[in-house]
Amino acid sequence: MVPEPASKTVPNAMKPSSTASGEQSTLQGWTENAAMSSSSSTSLSGRVAPASTEQSSPASSSQIRMSLRTETTLPHVLSSVPTTSSSSVSPSPSQNATDTSDLVVVAAAAPDTPSSTIVRPPPIRMGSGTKIIVPNAFWHDFIGASKNKPTTQYWQRSHPPTPPLASNLLSVGVNDELTTDFDLAADTGVLTVDDPDKGALSNIQAVPHLSRDGGKGGYLNGQKLFIFSDTGVYTTPTKGKDGTFLNFVSSSVAIDVGMNPLKKQSPTLEDGIGEWADSAGRMRGFAPLTQGEHSYNLAMQGQGQRYCIWPESSIIPLNHTHALLYAPIVYDNVNRATGRTSFTYTGLTLLTVTTHIIGGPSANRFVDKLFYHNEVEWGSIAGMRSWGPSGIGGNDGRIYVFGKVEWGLLVGRVDASRIDNRDSYEYWNGNNWAASMLDTSSKAYFIDGAMMDADIFYSPRHLTFIIVYLTVWADNTFFYRYLDCPSAIYPQGVPGGQQSGDYAENLVKCPWSRERVLYKAAAGPTGQYIYAGGIQQGYFDADDITNGGYKMLLTWTVPTGSSPGSEASEYSLMSTIILF
């Protein structure tokens, strides 16, 4: 276990109130669309037919489908949650800018038609005044390592044969054809079902043991997601004896259950039924692979080469029911003789994430490769949603993507309806937005600093943007900065807010504050540094900093020094609560 950092006791008088003490007004425009579709979440466009199900006991092919690319288009997904205008009450933002007790409550509107697949988001509490409210982190409470809770059942189905690859495609080294020239593999990605068929459910022989790397995610449609990269699956270890290796996938997903951090207990993470492939407890993985990538991995697994999709950032909300992940495609080459490993970035794919489906959260990979190996890794370190006039959960507005280069972050953006078209992105060149993509040598940073991981978000309480990050200097320290604008930033639809335009444009118009220490984490048991650090945006619902509250759940990964099949696993996902 990582030793617990010292924490300070907070007197009750110091804790911010979870409700506004001043006059409150209820707004329904910016927070949530007044009308939310009652239809089920929709998959995105694609080319893979449902896998055959020849056995008599599993569900039929009409009941089981792959959560990959189907015949639905991106505009269909965006139109599945229609936007309508709604009235709002407009208080005057006349309070002093430093008075954090006077908050405007932006209440979420209920859907017109009750739906079990769309969850009303928590209300947003806006600060008030004409100036930003300087964020000050003043307390933390260390929680510890998360606990895995794998499901004990899986959807029984026959596995389609893996088509062999031509010999010229089985060489060591990157081959883009394996990504761009093949459909998606039916045996990868979360398996979802159209109708629950209890007869298709079968028991896993024993509770699988997981060893997972990474662990970012965020709030989506009422669920708190934790998305991991490399995940090893083992039989249950016992004291003194490691579990037996079962299989290895490059990504997995789990849902937080119980919100244990509120009780000062570590998070419990539960995997969905659709992640499991068979009765032994092998995994299917979260992000789908192409058939080329999958066949290559199977053919080369004894030699040490494989293609991976490694989600590294927090999810970016797209609308009420979908979120985005700009995920790197990595070629992993292990020299079996020396044990040396090399990782080659081959490009970046785009995933949409959906929840509340039978089988668990799923990812649709509807773009084979959006950006290429010699380009900036746009969105892989972080991205952000800039909501339009329809408000939170609407289909208008923009997606901002951040690109990490050596001494800072670059920024690009795209209309939410054009995310899959690389020609629709525009980039800040230091003076204006332009269609010409910046290259990896660009110094047009909108914020400087050698960052390893980052999250950028709008804080309604503080009326400005905040960045939380780890640097590349392996000092185990989280830092934060805020956008130091001369005036408070209000989104459209909020009293005192912009009447038109994009409130996120302030990212390139205002300077950032000096760097402040947010939290110093303990190193791993063997002294190794932490990584994959960030915040679980929206975790604390109405009390979360991204919703106008004062709480933040900070997470990171630390190597344990143990073997992956041991009870301790190879990695631990640690967490702490931060108060602002």
Side-chain angles (χ1 to χ4, degrees):
M1 290 292 293
V2 175
E4 179 177 342
S7 63
K8 293 174 275 190
T9 301
V10 181
N12 289 333
M14 292 178 61
K15 296 183 180 180
S17 171
S18 60
T19 59
S21 59
E23 180 180 354
Q24 300 177 354
S25 297
T26 300
L27 307 176
Q28 296 180 340
W30 187 70
T31 317
E32 180 180 22
N33 302 313
M36 296 190 292
S37 170
S38 60
S39 61
S40 299
S41 301
T42 324
S43 298
L44 297 182
S45 60
R47 303 170 294 184
V48 170
S52 63
T53 53
E54 300 172 357
Q55 301 178 12
S56 58
S57 58
S60 66
S61 59
S62 64
Q63 293 168 319
I64 289 187
R65 65 178 171 81
M66 293 303 302
S67 174
L68 305 178
R69 289 174 287 195
T70 65
E71 295 305 316
T72 317
T73 62
L74 175 62
H76 188 177
V77 170
L78 290 173
S79 64
S80 68
V81 185
T83 60
T84 61
S85 61
S86 57
S87 60
S88 62
V89 179
S90 303
S92 173
S94 59
Q95 292 293 319
N96 185 284
T98 59
D99 181 6
T100 61
S101 64
D102 186 17
L103 300 173
V104 175
V105 177
V106 187
D112 287 349
T113 305
S115 170
S116 60
T117 59
I118 299 181
V119 178
R120 184 175 65 187
I124 305 296
R125 297 200 302 274
M126 297 292 303
S128 64
T130 59
K131 300 291 184 181
I132 67 169
I133 299 168
V134 174
N136 285 297
F138 66 91
W139 183 77
H140 68 263
D141 193 0
F142 180 74
I143 299 299
S146 64
K147 299 175 182 177
N148 293 316
K149 184 184 178 183
T151 52
T152 58
Q153 292 182 307
Y154 74 104
W155 285 101
Q156 186 183 358
R157 59 181 292 275
S158 61
H159 296 277
T162 301
L165 292 176
S167 58
N168 65 306
L169 296 177
L170 292 175
S171 59
V172 175
V174 176
N175 188 332
D176 280 340
E177 292 179 35
L178 297 172
T179 295
T180 59
D181 292 0
F182 289 82
D183 293 336
L184 293 179
D187 253 5
T188 67
V190 174
L191 182 69
T192 66
V193 297
D194 291 322
D195 297 305
D197 182 352
K198 301 302 181 183
L201 282 177
S202 297
N203 293 328
I204 298 175
Q205 296 171 3
V207 178
H209 171 74
L210 302 175
S211 180
R212 305 205 252 211
D213 198 3
K216 301 188 77 172
Y219 173 97
L220 178 62
N221 198 17
Q223 295 183 333
K224 287 74 185 261
L225 306 186
F226 288 74
I227 299 172
F228 298 86
S229 50
D230 278 348
T231 301
V233 189
Y234 299 80
T235 60
T236 305
T238 58
K239 290 185 177 179
K241 184 179 180 181
D242 288 0
T244 302
F245 175 76
L246 293 175
N247 81 319
F248 196 77
V249 293
S250 64
S251 62
S252 64
V253 62
I255 296 174
D256 175 271
V257 291
M259 291 189 68
N260 288 341
L262 288 177
K263 299 171 282 189
K264 297 188 177 181
Q265 299 172 3
S266 57
T268 297
L269 307 180
E270 184 174 65
D271 294 85
I273 293 172
E275 282 199 88
W276 304 98
D278 55 30
S279 61
R282 297 179 181 90
M283 264 192 165
R284 299 175 54 89
F286 175 60
L289 300 176
T290 68
Q291 190 62 65
E293 295 163 345
H294 183 51
S295 294
Y296 182 92
N297 290 357
L298 292 176
M300 305 294 283
Q301 60 185 345
Q303 301 180 45
Q305 291 80 38
R306 64 179 176 129
Y307 284 86
C308 321
I309 296 180
W310 284 345
E312 297 176 343
S313 66
S314 300
I315 59 175
I316 308 168
L318 178 60
N319 55 26
H320 280 298
T321 57
H322 292 76
L324 305 175
L325 273 173
Y326 291 77
I329 308 167
V330 178
Y331 183 75
D332 180 5
N333 185 6
V334 180
N335 186 313
R336 294 295 191 187
T338 64
R340 297 189 65 177
T341 302
S342 62
F343 303 117
T344 303
Y345 170 70
T346 73
L348 188 142
T349 188
L350 181 57
L351 308 174
T352 59
V353 182
T354 313
T355 61
H356 291 287
I357 319 174
I358 301 171
S362 67
N364 294 314
R365 183 179 175 185
F366 67 108
V367 178
D368 293 322
K369 185 175 287 188
L370 185 63
F371 298 113
Y372 298 98
H373 71 280
N374 58 346
E375 296 174 335
V376 174
E377 296 181 37
W378 297 104
S380 69
I381 185 172
M384 191 188 73
R385 186 65 159 98
S386 176
W387 302 107
S390 297
I392 292 178
N395 296 323
D396 50 7
R398 293 189 176 109
I399 304 294
Y400 279 72
V401 291
F402 307 116
K404 177 175 63 175
V405 289
E406 188 174 11
W407 296 110
L409 296 184
L410 309 175
V411 58
R413 67 183 185 183
V414 66
D415 286 348
S417 62
R418 307 281 291 174
I419 53 175
D420 56 341
N421 184 347
R422 59 178 274 132
D423 294 333
S424 295
Y425 287 72
E426 58 181 2
Y427 307 89
W428 181 254
N429 61 18
N431 296 306
N432 50 56
W433 294 99
S436 179
M437 185 186 297
L438 304 175
D439 62 36
T440 56
S441 64
S442 173
K443 294 180 172 54
Y445 322 131
F446 79 99
I447 184 171
D448 62 342
M451 300 175 194
M452 178 170 61
D453 302 297
D455 281 296
I456 300 175
F457 58 93
Y458 176 73
S459 172
R461 185 182 188 91
H462 301 99
L463 304 175
T464 190
F465 292 89
I466 299 175
I467 180 170
V468 172
Y469 57 94
L470 289 172
T471 69
V472 299
W473 307 121
D475 56 6
N476 300 327
T477 304
F478 286 91
F479 298 93
Y480 74 100
R481 296 163 71 178
Y482 61 90
L483 196 63
D484 196 8
C485 286
S487 301
I489 301 171
Y490 288 91
Q492 294 183 62
V494 171
Q498 299 176 205
Q499 298 304 309
S500 62
D502 182 354
Y503 65 105
E505 280 195 342
N506 287 285
L507 292 173
V508 299
K509 294 179 178 178
C510 298
W512 288 85
S513 71
R514 63 177 179 81
E515 185 173 84
R516 298 183 176 195
V517 172
L518 177 64
Y519 181 75
K520 178 75 173 179
T526 58
Q528 293 170 292
Y529 61 86
I530 70 169
Y531 59 95
I535 75 169
Q536 291 291 326
Q537 297 185 41
Y539 184 86
F540 291 110
D541 296 327
D543 287 334
D544 196 88
I545 190 170
T546 60
N547 292 324
Y550 59 95
K551 290 183 178 180
M552 172 191 294
L553 186 66
L554 195 66
T555 63
W556 63 95
T557 294
V558 61
T560 64
S562 300
S563 63
S566 68
E567 289 182 298
S569 297
E570 188 175 4
Y571 310 101
S572 284
L573 178 68
M574 313 301 286
S575 59
T576 191
I577 298 174
I578 305 290
L579 296 190
F580 276 80

